[in-house]
Amino acid sequence: MTIYFIDGQFTKKDSLNISIDDRGYYFGDGVYEVVKVYDGELFTAEEHIERLFQSASKIKLAIPYSEQQLIDIAKELVKANDVKTGHVYMQVTRGASPRVHQFPELAVTPVVTGYAIHSPRPIKNIEGGVSVKTVEDVRWLRCDIKSLNLLANVLAKQEAHEADCTEAIFIRDGVVTEGSSSNAFGVKDGVVITHPATNLILNGITRRVVLELCKELGISVEERGFTHDEMNEMDEFFITSTTSEITPVVNIDGKAVGSGTPGDVTKKLQEAFARQIPLSVARD
Ligand code: PDD
């Protein structure tokens, strides 16, 4: 049975004191993070919690804990749920108050909730690659905020799912931005190309790890928006996220990418990434 963190307590109940008036429930008025767990240890936890505070600050939300306290809560959730390979989910909403759009007049305490669950690494996708579908990016202009408001992402992922694809890739004004829950990268003539970390994408933690690995491996990088047409001409394509790591994309809108199998640059990056995580879970 999952142990949750709700209302300052570790509890088996999944809705302890969660109010119908919670602004997360009404408005998606909150922020969240997903942190990977390998071998019972949090991976890049500081970076995730730092981004949680940045997202909160961008929506003028004060988290009632310190960064260290949230890391300690995440660690406790991993322990309490005995998670070896999996992830921690944490979210903060603006709290519970009768429904009006503007912030509550009276100070309300933001609601912090979280849990840790077992989830195996998606080895089949990581090794064999996935298919993706392109969709129009109809999201707002603050995609740099990891907001709970994910309706456009949900609809995009569902559209991809119905087309037997693993991920939806957003296109805004003819330019590839990112996936519905991942960052997107193309490889052309050995150069890794990805959208710059502007307001139009979430600056993924895995994205940052990959850019660092490119530097270490001497792989050239261009952080620039590339067009839908360029995307269709890439030698390789891959997506990154906390849960999908580095996943090769072998098919875009029904057309094979390159040879239709994971490319050499992608595989090199995957190998370097695998060296960063504990060996005992490398195949979990
Ligand atoms: N999603 N872009 C979007 C829109 C995302 O939702 C995510 C992550 C990423 C990749 O970020 P990171 O490498 O920090 O996980 C990019 C998480 C995993 C989710 O919503 O489940």
Side-chain angles (χ1 to χ4, degrees), residues 90-116:
M90 284 191 133
Q91 75 169 44
V92 189
T93 75
R94 206 178 300 279
S97 185
R99 185 181 180 279
V100 291
H101 286 64
Q102 72 270 24
F103 297 173
E105 290 287 343
L106 296 171
V108 294
T109 309
V111 174
V112 179
T113 48
Y115 61 82

Short mmCIF file of all heavy atoms in Angstrom, two decimals, residues 90-116:
data_model
loop_
_atom_site.label_atom_id
_atom_site.label_comp_id
_atom_site.label_asym_id
_atom_site.label_seq_id
_atom_site.Cartn_x
_atom_site.Cartn_y
_atom_site.Cartn_z
N MET A 90 5.76 14.99 -6.64
CA MET A 90 5.47 16.00 -5.62
C MET A 90 4.73 17.16 -6.26
O MET A 90 5.09 17.58 -7.37
CB MET A 90 6.76 16.55 -5.03
CG MET A 90 7.42 15.63 -4.06
SD MET A 90 8.73 16.51 -3.18
CE MET A 90 8.34 15.99 -1.53
N GLN A 91 3.71 17.66 -5.59
CA GLN A 91 3.03 18.84 -6.13
C GLN A 91 2.69 19.82 -5.03
O GLN A 91 2.56 19.46 -3.86
CB GLN A 91 1.80 18.47 -6.94
CG GLN A 91 0.59 18.02 -6.15
CD GLN A 91 -0.66 17.93 -7.02
OE1 GLN A 91 -0.63 17.41 -8.12
NE2 GLN A 91 -1.77 18.42 -6.52
N VAL A 92 2.58 21.07 -5.41
CA VAL A 92 2.21 22.14 -4.47
C VAL A 92 1.09 22.95 -5.10
O VAL A 92 1.24 23.42 -6.24
CB VAL A 92 3.40 23.09 -4.20
CG1 VAL A 92 3.06 24.05 -3.06
CG2 VAL A 92 4.67 22.33 -3.89
N THR A 93 -0.03 23.08 -4.41
CA THR A 93 -1.11 23.92 -4.92
C THR A 93 -1.24 25.17 -4.04
O THR A 93 -0.69 25.21 -2.93
CB THR A 93 -2.47 23.20 -4.94
OG1 THR A 93 -2.97 23.11 -3.60
CG2 THR A 93 -2.36 21.81 -5.54
N ARG A 94 -1.99 26.14 -4.56
CA ARG A 94 -2.13 27.40 -3.82
C ARG A 94 -3.02 27.24 -2.59
O ARG A 94 -3.22 28.19 -1.83
CB ARG A 94 -2.66 28.52 -4.72
CG ARG A 94 -2.25 29.92 -4.25
CD ARG A 94 -2.76 31.00 -5.18
NE ARG A 94 -2.28 30.88 -6.52
CZ ARG A 94 -1.07 31.28 -6.95
NH1 ARG A 94 -0.25 31.85 -6.12
NH2 ARG A 94 -0.70 31.11 -8.20
N GLY A 95 -3.55 26.05 -2.36
CA GLY A 95 -4.32 25.80 -1.15
C GLY A 95 -5.81 25.83 -1.39
O GLY A 95 -6.28 25.96 -2.52
N ALA A 96 -6.57 25.70 -0.31
CA ALA A 96 -8.03 25.57 -0.39
C ALA A 96 -8.71 26.87 0.00
O ALA A 96 -8.40 27.46 1.05
CB ALA A 96 -8.50 24.45 0.51
N SER A 97 -9.62 27.31 -0.87
CA SER A 97 -10.33 28.56 -0.62
C SER A 97 -11.55 28.56 -1.55
O SER A 97 -11.47 28.02 -2.66
CB SER A 97 -9.40 29.72 -0.97
OG SER A 97 -9.99 30.94 -0.66
N PRO A 98 -12.70 29.16 -1.10
CA PRO A 98 -13.87 29.17 -1.98
C PRO A 98 -13.51 29.69 -3.38
O PRO A 98 -12.66 30.59 -3.52
CB PRO A 98 -14.84 30.11 -1.27
CG PRO A 98 -14.46 29.97 0.16
CD PRO A 98 -12.97 29.80 0.17
N ARG A 99 -14.17 29.16 -4.40
CA ARG A 99 -13.73 29.37 -5.77
C ARG A 99 -13.95 30.79 -6.30
O ARG A 99 -15.06 31.17 -6.65
CB ARG A 99 -14.45 28.38 -6.69
CG ARG A 99 -13.96 28.44 -8.14
CD ARG A 99 -14.71 27.45 -9.02
NE ARG A 99 -14.23 27.52 -10.39
CZ ARG A 99 -14.61 28.44 -11.28
NH1 ARG A 99 -15.51 29.35 -10.95
NH2 ARG A 99 -14.10 28.44 -12.49
N VAL A 100 -12.83 31.54 -6.33
CA VAL A 100 -12.78 32.80 -7.10
C VAL A 100 -11.43 32.74 -7.82
O VAL A 100 -10.48 32.17 -7.31
CB VAL A 100 -12.85 34.07 -6.22
CG1 VAL A 100 -14.22 34.25 -5.60
CG2 VAL A 100 -11.76 34.07 -5.17
N HIS A 101 -11.36 33.34 -9.01
CA HIS A 101 -10.14 33.19 -9.80
C HIS A 101 -8.93 33.86 -9.15
O HIS A 101 -7.84 33.30 -9.12
CB HIS A 101 -10.34 33.76 -11.21
CG HIS A 101 -11.19 32.89 -12.09
ND1 HIS A 101 -12.52 32.64 -11.80
CD2 HIS A 101 -10.91 32.22 -13.22
CE1 HIS A 101 -13.01 31.85 -12.73
NE2 HIS A 101 -12.06 31.58 -13.60
N GLN A 102 -9.10 35.09 -8.65
CA GLN A 102 -7.94 35.78 -8.05
C GLN A 102 -7.47 35.03 -6.80
O GLN A 102 -8.20 34.23 -6.24
CB GLN A 102 -8.28 37.25 -7.73
CG GLN A 102 -9.21 37.49 -6.56
CD GLN A 102 -10.68 37.52 -6.97
OE1 GLN A 102 -11.07 36.96 -7.97
NE2 GLN A 102 -11.50 38.17 -6.17
N PHE A 103 -6.23 35.35 -6.38
CA PHE A 103 -5.68 34.68 -5.21
C PHE A 103 -6.61 34.93 -4.01
O PHE A 103 -7.23 36.00 -3.92
CB PHE A 103 -4.28 35.21 -4.85
CG PHE A 103 -3.22 34.98 -5.91
CD1 PHE A 103 -1.95 35.54 -5.76
CD2 PHE A 103 -3.46 34.19 -7.02
CE1 PHE A 103 -0.96 35.33 -6.72
CE2 PHE A 103 -2.47 33.98 -7.99
CZ PHE A 103 -1.22 34.55 -7.83
N PRO A 104 -6.67 33.97 -3.04
CA PRO A 104 -7.50 34.17 -1.84
C PRO A 104 -7.09 35.44 -1.10
O PRO A 104 -5.90 35.74 -0.97
CB PRO A 104 -7.20 32.94 -1.01
CG PRO A 104 -6.69 31.93 -1.97
CD PRO A 104 -6.00 32.67 -3.06
N GLU A 105 -8.10 36.20 -0.61
CA GLU A 105 -7.84 37.43 0.16
C GLU A 105 -7.11 37.08 1.46
O GLU A 105 -6.12 37.70 1.81
CB GLU A 105 -9.17 38.13 0.52
CG GLU A 105 -9.91 38.75 -0.65
CD GLU A 105 -9.27 40.02 -1.18
OE1 GLU A 105 -8.44 40.58 -0.44
OE2 GLU A 105 -9.58 40.41 -2.32
N LEU A 106 -7.64 36.07 2.14
CA LEU A 106 -7.02 35.66 3.40
C LEU A 106 -5.92 34.66 3.08
O LEU A 106 -6.08 33.83 2.17
CB LEU A 106 -8.05 35.00 4.32
CG LEU A 106 -9.17 35.94 4.78
CD1 LEU A 106 -10.27 35.16 5.50
CD2 LEU A 106 -8.60 37.01 5.70
N ALA A 107 -4.83 34.77 3.85
CA ALA A 107 -3.71 33.87 3.56
C ALA A 107 -4.14 32.41 3.75
O ALA A 107 -4.74 32.07 4.77
CB ALA A 107 -2.56 34.20 4.51
N VAL A 108 -3.89 31.58 2.75
CA VAL A 108 -4.13 30.15 2.91
C VAL A 108 -2.79 29.44 2.71
O VAL A 108 -1.92 29.93 1.98
CB VAL A 108 -5.17 29.59 1.91
CG1 VAL A 108 -6.54 30.15 2.15
CG2 VAL A 108 -4.74 29.80 0.48
N THR A 109 -2.67 28.31 3.37
CA THR A 109 -1.40 27.59 3.29
C THR A 109 -1.39 26.73 2.02
O THR A 109 -2.33 25.96 1.80
CB THR A 109 -1.22 26.68 4.53
OG1 THR A 109 -1.45 27.47 5.67
CG2 THR A 109 0.18 26.09 4.58
N PRO A 110 -0.35 26.87 1.20
CA PRO A 110 -0.24 25.98 0.04
C PRO A 110 -0.24 24.52 0.49
O PRO A 110 0.23 24.19 1.58
CB PRO A 110 1.10 26.38 -0.57
CG PRO A 110 1.30 27.79 -0.14
CD PRO A 110 0.73 27.86 1.25
N VAL A 111 -0.80 23.65 -0.35
CA VAL A 111 -0.92 22.24 -0.01
C VAL A 111 0.17 21.45 -0.75
O VAL A 111 0.23 21.46 -1.98
CB VAL A 111 -2.32 21.70 -0.38
CG1 VAL A 111 -2.40 20.20 -0.17
CG2 VAL A 111 -3.39 22.42 0.45
N VAL A 112 1.02 20.80 0.03
CA VAL A 112 2.11 19.99 -0.54
C VAL A 112 1.74 18.51 -0.42
O VAL A 112 1.42 18.05 0.68
CB VAL A 112 3.44 20.25 0.21
CG1 VAL A 112 4.57 19.38 -0.37
CG2 VAL A 112 3.82 21.72 0.14
N THR A 113 1.74 17.80 -1.54
CA THR A 113 1.45 16.37 -1.51
C THR A 113 2.51 15.62 -2.30
O THR A 113 3.18 16.21 -3.16
CB THR A 113 0.06 16.06 -2.11
OG1 THR A 113 -0.05 16.72 -3.36
CG2 THR A 113 -1.06 16.51 -1.21
N GLY A 114 2.65 14.33 -2.02
CA GLY A 114 3.63 13.55 -2.77
C GLY A 114 3.49 12.07 -2.50
O GLY A 114 2.79 11.64 -1.58
N TYR A 115 4.14 11.28 -3.34
CA TYR A 115 4.21 9.83 -3.13
C TYR A 115 5.42 9.30 -3.90
O TYR A 115 5.97 9.98 -4.77
CB TYR A 115 2.92 9.12 -3.58
CG TYR A 115 2.61 9.28 -5.04
CD1 TYR A 115 3.21 8.49 -6.01
CD2 TYR A 115 1.71 10.27 -5.47
CE1 TYR A 115 2.94 8.65 -7.36
CE2 TYR A 115 1.43 10.44 -6.81
CZ TYR A 115 2.05 9.63 -7.75
OH TYR A 115 1.79 9.82 -9.09
N ALA A 116 5.80 8.08 -3.57
CA ALA A 116 6.86 7.40 -4.33
C ALA A 116 6.30 6.08 -4.81
O ALA A 116 5.63 5.39 -4.04
CB ALA A 116 8.08 7.16 -3.44
#
